[in-house]
């Protein structure tokens, strides 16, 4: 694609990157066919090729418009378009750069800004998030039914984390690091517990430094990039002593967070103090399925046959991390019969805060996904990301669980 970056944007490494991405698009439109928002709205500007065109025009000097921002806001950043694109166009990175510049010219209305600030102030902080949920649950009887259904119940279990003050030298070897995450640590601590149980059976210590927290994805997607980078630096500082002491990998059980940690190197490439560490951290980050497949023969599975199960592969797993088929292979080896799921490449509509900021599109996508998942009459649904898990659970009576829980249940009982 012919591009021209307007003089006011020139001379930054980021703009050079945007220019290179724009040039890599040959405008073929293959990506449009697999874009969930294009499929629902049928408007070229609500598909990847149209959004790329809008960013190209704006960075080329065309005036910013609220309509352009609206089309970019409707994007789920699901990255299905990247999986489809034959030219390797890095759409998500371009959208991040374009949206940041566009928002400088077109400030959001005060109410939208407030909503985004509240999300950033609450969700990445487990204690605040827990308090907000407690308040939400108290108010549930007084809320309209549609709103009340959106407030998840707090589990009775306490979050799993390493005791504060665990030192690198006291770590039992071999070991891997894990990220407790913000939402997952509050709402589904059983996911971290399942991973810890599996690792223990393989002879590995799981270290979850309490100083690590939100991966930064939520802030990044809400265009608070400095805040996102601060979260990333904090996590790198928390993990670094354990990496230096020989931790073999960083296993991130929420695939949305995993895709973020794998991109720390790119996000902090211009930070002279953290660029190299970020690159090393990103190289160590793995989805647990990638790591466990390498230890498949050592997994003490009980080899029982289990009821039909539908697996929803989150966009962050299949499109961002390009982890394809690994979880399915582990579940099948654990005895689960997987049902066929049509249009498995399509997003469920969760997409971070998308379900809050774009509720109508999100609801439509969820219904499509639930219909596809239930088509094969499974007994339950498995997924790999807390956001998808909660979102899907809000639309079905079938249990929706993290696949790690199901794998942990399929292990032989420990010999006493
Ligand atoms: S992003 Fe890729 S698939 Fe889409 S129009 Fe450009 S080159 Fe074609
Ligand atoms: S990221 Fe997803 S929603 Fe956004 S343009 Fe690409 S396919 Fe469409």
């Amino acid at each position: 694609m012919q591009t021209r970056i307007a003089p006011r944007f020139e001379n930054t490494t980021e703009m050079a990157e945007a220019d290179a991405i724009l040039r890599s698009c040959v405008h073929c439109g293959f990506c449009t066919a697999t874009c969930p928002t294009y499929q629902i709205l049928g408007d070229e500007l609500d598909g990847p090729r149209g959004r790329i065109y809008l960013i190209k025009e704006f960075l080329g000097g065309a005036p910013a418009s609220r309509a352009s921002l609206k089309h970019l806001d409707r994007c789920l950043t699901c990255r299905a378009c990247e999986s489809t694109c034959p030219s390797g166009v890095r759409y998500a990175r371009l959208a991040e750069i374009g949206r940041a510049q566009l928002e400088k010219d077109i400030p959001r209305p005060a109410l939208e800004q407030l909503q985004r600030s509240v999300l950033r102030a609450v969700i990445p902080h487990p204690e605040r998030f827990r308090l907000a949920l407690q308040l939400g649950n108290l108010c549930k009887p007084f809320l309209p039914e549609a709103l009340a259904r959106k407030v998840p119940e707090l589990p009775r279990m306490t979050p799993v984390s390493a005791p504060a003050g665990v030192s690198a030298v006291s770590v039992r070897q071999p070991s891997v690091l894990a990220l407790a995450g913000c939402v997952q640590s509050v709402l589904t601590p059983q996911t971290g517990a399942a991973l810890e149980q599996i690792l223990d059976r393989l002879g590995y210590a799981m270290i979850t430094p309490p100083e690590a927290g939100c991966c930064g994805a939520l802030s990044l997607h809400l265009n608070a990039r400095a805040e996102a980078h601060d979260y990333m630096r904090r996590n790198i500082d928390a993990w670094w002593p354990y990496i230096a002491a020989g931790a073999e990998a960083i296993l991130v059980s929420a695939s949305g967070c995993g895709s973020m940690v794998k991109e720390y190197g790119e996000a902090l490439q211009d930070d002279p103090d953290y660029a190299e560490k970020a690159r090393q951290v990103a190289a160590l980050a793995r989805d647990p399925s990638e790591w466990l497949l390498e230890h498949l023969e050592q997994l003490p599975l009980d080899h029982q046959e289990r009821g039909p199960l539908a697996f929803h592969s989150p966009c962050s797993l299949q499109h961002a991390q390009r982890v394809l088929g690994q979880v399915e292979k582990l579940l099948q080896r654990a005895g689960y019969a997987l049902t066929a799921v049509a249009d498995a490449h399509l997003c469920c509509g969760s997409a971070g805060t998308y379900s809050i900021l774009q509720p109508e599109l999100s609801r439509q996508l969820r219904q499509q996904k639930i219909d596809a998942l239930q088509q094969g009459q499974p007994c339950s649904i498995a997924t790999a990301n807390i956001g998808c898990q909660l979102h899907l659970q809000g639309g079905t009576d079938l249990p929706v669980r993290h696949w790690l829980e199901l794998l942990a249940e399929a292990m032989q009982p420990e010999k006493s």
Side-chain angles (χ1 to χ4, degrees), residues 335-388:
Y336 293 94
L338 295 188
T339 60
V341 179
D343 292 328
H345 63 282
L346 287 179
C347 180
C348 68
S350 170
T353 54
Y354 194 90
S355 59
I356 299 168
L357 299 173
Q358 300 284 341
E360 184 49 36
L361 278 171
S362 171
R363 194 192 53 73
Q364 286 185 51
L365 288 166
R366 179 173 69 184
Q367 194 53 55
Q368 284 180 11
K369 181 59 70 180
I370 294 276
D371 291 346
L373 287 164
Q374 293 187 165
Q375 189 70 31
Q377 301 188 325
C379 296
S380 58
I381 295 169
T383 189
N385 189 48
I386 176 67
C388 309

Side-chain angles (χ1 to χ4, degrees), residues 301 304 325-338:
L301 297 169
Q304 284 182 30
Q326 272 97 323
V327 176
E328 292 91 323
K329 189 171 177 188
L330 282 163
L331 288 171
Q332 282 171 325
R333 282 290 288 265
Y336 293 94
L338 295 188

Side-chain angles (χ1 to χ4, degrees), residues 9 12-13 19 42 72 74 91 99 103 107 111 116 124 151 153 156 180 210 257 268 296 304 307 326 340 342 386:
F9 296 125
T12 67
T13 49
D19 193 23
L72 287 180
R74 284 180 182 160
Y91 168 83
R99 203 184 281 126
E103 277 195 42
L111 205 60
R116 286 162 178 259
V151 181
E153 285 183 14
R156 286 192 191 91
C257 309
L268 295 178
L296 186 57
Q304 284 182 30
Q326 272 97 323
I386 176 67

Side-chain angles (χ1 to χ4, degrees), residues 42-99:
D43 182 339
E44 171 80 17
L45 296 178
D46 285 312
R49 183 171 60 177
R51 290 177 178 128
I52 290 170
Y53 176 78
L54 289 174
I55 295 168
K56 173 184 165 286
E57 288 297 288
F58 170 66
L59 295 182
S65 79
R66 196 157 293 287
S68 298
L69 190 57
K70 181 186 76 178
H71 292 299
L72 287 180
D73 279 350
R74 284 180 182 160
C75 170
L76 297 137
T77 325
C78 69
R79 299 169 73 166
C81 48
E82 290 189 9
S83 290
T84 314
C85 176
S87 305
V89 172
R90 294 165 61 228
Y91 168 83
R93 179 69 175 149
L94 179 67
E96 182 195 331
I97 297 169
R99 203 184 281 126

